[in-house]
Amino acid sequence: MSNILITGAHGFIGKHLARWLAQQGHQVVGLGHGIWPTVEAASWGLTQWLNGDIQSGNLRLLQQASGTPDVVYHLAGGSSVGVAIANPREDFFRTVVTTAELLEWLRVDAPQARLVAVSSAAVYGSDHHGLIAEDATLTPYSPYGHHKRVMEELCRSYATSYGLQISIARLFSVFGAELKKQLLWDLCSRLATGTRPLVLGGNGNELRDWTDVRDVVRALDLLATQACAEVAVTNVGTGLGTSVRQIATGIARQWPLLDAADALQFSGQSRPGDPFSLVANASGLNKLGFTWAIPVDKGLDDYVRWFQGQRKAPQ
């Protein structure tokens, strides 16, 4: 059994990761923002949750209460390109400053802990074609992507200077239950309220590497074993591109009596800097023996069922 700390455990991916790791027999504690009753946090696998900033005082409180972690997963930080564009200063503090605070605490108080720093494919930017390998040139466009890149550089600095063991996971388009923003949530919300037609940005042919969060947390578990002072960087993607049109059609088909072809329209206008294609070269993860278990269609079906269950649940 390992002692594990997750920053941002109250978030979409953090919840699923906590539950998965607890199911594997580990002790999991969390730090981040959000009021989270003890019983509810425990239902997601946490033995302790501290609502507060990622800073040395709070990290030491958890360390005193639960022991020094063997593994730290750093998920705290900005999680939306749109929000980062609207408020870049806040995104900088959420992503860059929290990482600096965490690394300094690790250096001083937990130098033997392995760190999995969760980054994003947004660091690659919009100038890539085909499958994107980990050694591709990083040309982020948005503040979100730039801040994730700075986060990665901070990790390399501490690994080189102080020998911290670090693994960087670059996530692509993660979806699943508990995701209450972005394309899938927006589509389901508009379908549920009877909005017709559904007008989406772009032309619908944009390609993304869609990954189910239940698979992603298994990959993150595996990547903890790759943490080293040389800083291992791994794409967490399938290597398969699915168009936005295919995703939207898959969601729309879950609504009875709805003709998806008629309900969906695309404006032809994309957000500046949005890449046409963002699909991982997955060879690095494949070499570690990882296999993806949940196809996109299955994940979409499960997401719609979860969304509809949320609407029916008593408030």
Side-chain angles (χ1 to χ4, degrees):
M1 180 185 79
S2 294
N3 191 6
I4 295 177
L5 165 64
I6 302 175
T7 71
H10 193 243
F12 158 55
I13 298 174
K15 288 179 178 178
H16 286 275
L17 179 61
R19 175 171 286 175
W20 167 259
L21 293 172
Q23 289 172 346
Q24 308 316 301
H26 303 301
Q27 174 181 275
V28 185
V29 300
L31 171 62
H33 290 144
I35 297 173
W36 209 2
T38 300
V39 172
E40 185 178 342
S43 73
W44 284 98
L46 273 77
T47 60
Q48 186 171 1
W49 165 250
L50 180 58
N51 177 16
D53 292 335
I54 312 300
Q55 48 94 355
S56 59
N58 285 332
L59 288 161
R60 285 170 183 151
L61 282 175
L62 277 178
Q63 186 176 22
Q64 291 166 6
S66 304
T68 300
D70 302 298
V71 182
V72 177
Y73 288 91
H74 183 40
L75 285 93
S79 59
S80 168
V81 172
V83 171
I85 290 174
N87 195 336
R89 181 175 180 274
E90 179 183 348
D91 191 79
F92 178 86
F93 277 92
R94 287 167 60 94
T95 297
V96 178
V97 174
T98 62
T99 302
E101 290 281 345
L102 176 65
L103 288 167
E104 183 64 6
W105 171 74
L106 286 168
R107 179 184 75 84
V108 174
D109 293 313
Q112 301 305 313
R114 289 170 284 147
L115 171 64
V116 180
V118 178
S119 185
S120 165
V123 299
Y124 293 121
S126 59
D127 299 326
H128 301 279
H129 303 281
L131 303 183
I132 305 173
E134 288 90 348
D135 61 357
T137 302
L138 304 184
T139 56
Y141 173 82
S142 69
Y144 174 81
H146 280 290
H147 296 158
K148 291 295 187 184
R149 181 179 180 180
V150 174
M151 180 197 79
E152 292 188 9
E153 290 303 317
L154 281 170
C155 288
R156 291 189 181 91
S157 170
Y158 270 75
T160 300
S161 300
Y162 306 110
L164 295 187
Q165 302 175 74
I166 301 175
S167 175
I168 292 174
R170 290 180 181 156
L171 306 188
F172 283 69
S173 296
V174 186
F175 71 98
E178 298 296 320
L179 180 61
K180 298 180 180 180
K181 59 184 177 181
Q182 301 172 347
L183 177 63
L184 301 192
W185 178 260
D186 182 51
L187 275 170
C188 288
S189 299
R190 292 160 71 184
L191 285 165
T193 56
T195 303
R196 307 289 189 273
L198 296 177
V199 181
L200 305 177
N203 60 27
N205 297 320
E206 297 84 358
L207 294 175
R208 296 291 183 270
D209 196 329
W210 295 86
T211 58
D212 191 289
V213 68
R214 293 167 291 184
D215 279 336
V216 169
V217 297
R218 292 193 301 107
L220 293 176
D221 187 5
L222 175 63
L223 292 183
T225 66
Q226 303 303 301
C228 60
E230 290 73 31
V231 184
V233 180
T234 308
N235 285 335
V236 181
T238 67
L240 302 174
T242 305
S243 73
V244 172
R245 186 183 301 275
Q246 288 174 289
I247 293 295
T249 300
I251 291 290
R253 282 176 179 162
Q254 300 300 314
W255 262 258
L257 306 178
L258 176 67
D259 187 334
D262 292 335
L264 295 173
Q265 294 182 14
F266 292 87
S267 68
Q269 302 296 315
S270 298
R271 183 171 51 193
D274 268 359
F276 176 78
S277 177
L278 203 58
V279 182
N281 180 325
S283 60
L285 194 57
N286 293 341
K287 287 177 183 177
L288 298 177
F290 184 81
T291 56
W292 295 88
I294 304 173
V296 172
D297 288 346
K298 164 70 167 137
L300 293 178
D301 290 349
D302 290 348
Y303 183 84
V304 172
R305 281 196 292 271
W306 167 79
F307 177 90
Q308 292 172 338
Q310 290 289 295
R311 295 186 70 234
K312 295 175 183 177
Q315 300 300 315

